[in-house]
Amino acid sequence: MLTHTSPGRVVSNDQAIGNKNSEDSNITNGAGRLKRLWRRPPRLPPRLPPDAKVNNNGIGHVPGNIDARSMWITRQQKVKEAFIHAWSGYKKYAMGYDELMPLSHLGTDGLGGLGATIVDALDTAMIMGIDEVVSEAGSWVEEHLSERISKKGQVNLFETTIRVVGGLLSAYHLSGGEKGMNLTHAGPKPAVYLETAKNLADRLLSAFTASPTAIPFSDVILHDLSAHPAPGGLSSTSEVSTLQLEFNYLSSVSGDQKYGLEAMKVMEHIKTLPKIEGLVPIYISPHSGQFSGENIRLGSRGDSYYEYLIKVWLQSGASSNSNTSYLYEMYKEAMSGVRHLLVRKSIPNGLVFVGELPSGSNGGFSPKMDHLVCFLPGTLALGATKGLTKKQAMENNMLNFEDLENLKLAEDLAKTCFEMYSVTSTGLAPEIAYFHTEGFSEQGLDGGNKSSEYVNDIIIKPADRHNLLRPETVESLFVLYRITEDPKYREWGWQIFEAFEKYTKVDTGGYCSLDDVTSIPPHRRDKMETFFLGETLKYLYLLFGDSSVIPLDKYIFNTEAHLIPINLKK
């Protein structure tokens, strides 16, 4: 049994479970009944190294000096090398800018000029143990970020919170801040990260206080602490509801409750609004406090609303008695609504996907699925087992029929998300896919990989063929591997990583986005998003590593993959 490392003490899985469920006298019978209901997916053998032999019973024989564990250690090291290569390009050509333009060897400030790549990459470097990068990034934060915060102009509340506030708080914890892990001694003292996060959050609070309702404005002017709505006046539902993990944790470690109080007002307000089977439109007005329009989707502007319903509840300790239990009820209702209203199967091969309702439940169904929706398999699995393995949750009689349904949907959707990669010529997913259904079909718009079983199921329109190095699929593969312990998720992640290496790596440093994943060679786009270092490579590194590192029943990842400990004050 692997041990889980938690702040300040080591707890085995058995102990952790014992604490969660002391009434174990009735566990075995209930778990036995559930096991009979649950059919395990087939397990795939690990991919063998070139010199491995296959014996006549089909079981691979790996030479004694190469075993599965060492293979994954080697693969994890490859991800670490990719991170170092990405950072080297950023450091050389764009240090201090938000993002690297790897082809033109320039930096660009598209996120307000707060050095977003530095803060996003910082905790990844800590987790990977790359002290040189931790020192470089941490020193930049200490020497430059506070001044930037005091002088910069407009920033987006959501992007700045998830990337910069979230990144600083994760660095605070990982560098040994209150009850923290102390993974590194490089860089500044933990207090530097906390004080910088407070300075930034104090300015971001104006988005809440300037609004006439509980719904914050979308944009903040940092230097004068003012805020205003986005053009058109509306906020994205996902943006206003994806601030709570960060602000709650900041309140917890700073001792100042104002951050969490303001952020949680949003959720408490949304609780009172009408919904369609738990699903909500993607726009909301800070002026009226009401949803705007009828467009329902789990892609852009909708996605992380659903993610934070379950994660904010888990952050508070996942108790049915907690004052956040309403979020768990909202999450369960929403996932039931997803299964009922948004889940369909493609033809001819029955890929399970999540579509959209552009005109609400009374309008037509669109078989469109953003890559962003691929966060959902991980969220569904996390919501079902609360971060424990499926085996542990079953043994402790923690899974009801709805949990099992959500786990099955998680596995089906993860397969679809992976096939969105393998169906293309490059092995990399498009930004948006459509699915062939009885009501929707377009000829000649496949992904280019004619050998894929699903080449006729997935439709990729010309405008949607770009790849931005997004993390959502590998995020879900990481969570599902941790929860199901099925090695196929690691194999899928490795195939995706190999495709990134083959087609997006820039020799002079960094990685680039692609304009068209269906053509070879793909035309390259001059942009390395911050989340490639903050999320994509972090999740791949953790996927290939030991499952006792950053256990999912002790930590929540915010929507930018920054770590937040569960129920710190408990």
Side-chain angles (χ1 to χ4, degrees), residues 43-48 487 491:
R43 290 182 176 271
L44 302 181
R47 182 183 296 171
L48 298 175
E491 287 297 338

Side-chain angles (χ1 to χ4, degrees), residues 41 51 60 78 92 113 129 152 255 363 397 443 513 552 564:
D51 55 347
K78 294 289 186 188
K92 186 174 182 181
K152 283 294 180 181
N397 200 22
Q443 300 301 313
S513 303
L552 295 182
I564 293 174

Side-chain angles (χ1 to χ4, degrees), residues 13 19 55 62 80 108 122 130 145 156 166 182 199 204 220 231 240 271 275 305 316 333 354 358 360 381 418 546:
N13 288 339
N19 293 340
N55 61 26
V62 181
K80 185 174 179 177
T108 180
L122 183 52
I130 311 171
L145 187 50
N156 176 269
N182 206 7
N199 178 16
L204 294 177
V220 173
V240 302
K271 176 180 68 171
K275 304 169 187 67
Y305 162 72
S316 69
E333 183 186 11
V354 173
F418 172 68
D546 192 308

Side-chain angles (χ1 to χ4, degrees), residues 145-333:
L145 187 50
S146 287
E147 182 185 9
R148 294 264 182 115
I149 289 167
S150 65
K151 293 183 176 178
K152 283 294 180 181
Q154 179 173 309
V155 298
N156 176 269
L157 170 66
F158 160 75
E159 297 289 1
T160 307
T161 298
I162 65 170
R163 300 186 201 220
V164 186
V165 176
L168 290 168
L169 291 174
S170 182
Y172 169 72
H173 181 78
L174 292 175
S175 62
E178 184 175 348
K179 299 184 182 178
M181 295 174 82
N182 206 7
L183 285 189
T184 181
H185 296 290
K189 290 184 169 62
V192 169
Y193 300 126
L194 179 58
E195 290 306 313
T196 309
K198 283 172 60 181
N199 178 16
L200 180 54
D202 285 342
R203 296 165 192 271
L204 294 177
L205 280 177
S206 60
F208 298 88
T209 56
S211 171
T213 68
I215 303 303
F217 289 148
S218 67
D219 297 301
V220 173
I221 309 298
L222 290 176
H223 66 75
D224 66 6
L225 280 72
S226 65
H228 57 83
L234 299 176
S235 294
S236 298
T237 301
S238 63
E239 293 193 2
V240 302
S241 57
T242 311
L243 312 163
Q244 289 69 27
L245 287 175
E246 300 81 357
F247 278 66
N248 284 345
Y249 182 48
L250 181 56
S251 278
S252 178
V253 293
S254 70
D256 190 335
Q257 297 309 304
K258 66 183 179 184
Y259 308 106
L261 286 172
E262 288 293 343
M264 289 306 293
K265 285 177 186 175
V266 180
M267 296 306 215
E268 290 155 7
H269 176 75
I270 290 177
K271 176 180 68 171
T272 69
L273 299 179
K275 304 169 187 67
I276 298 170
E277 296 188 32
L279 306 179
V280 297
I282 61 171
Y283 289 105
I284 191 165
S285 169
H287 301 287
S288 68
Q290 301 296 307
F291 288 119
S292 181
E294 296 181 287
N295 193 340
I296 290 172
R297 66 183 184 217
L298 268 69
S300 62
R301 302 188 183 279
D303 49 2
S304 48
Y305 162 72
Y306 302 96
E307 177 188 358
Y308 270 41
L309 289 178
I310 186 68
K311 286 185 173 180
V312 176
W313 177 70
L314 288 170
Q315 178 191 33
S316 69
S319 165
S320 58
N321 302 320
S322 76
N323 57 8
T324 60
S325 58
Y326 70 92
L327 295 173
Y328 185 50
E329 297 305 316
M330 289 164 69
Y331 167 79
K332 289 195 295 182
E333 183 186 11

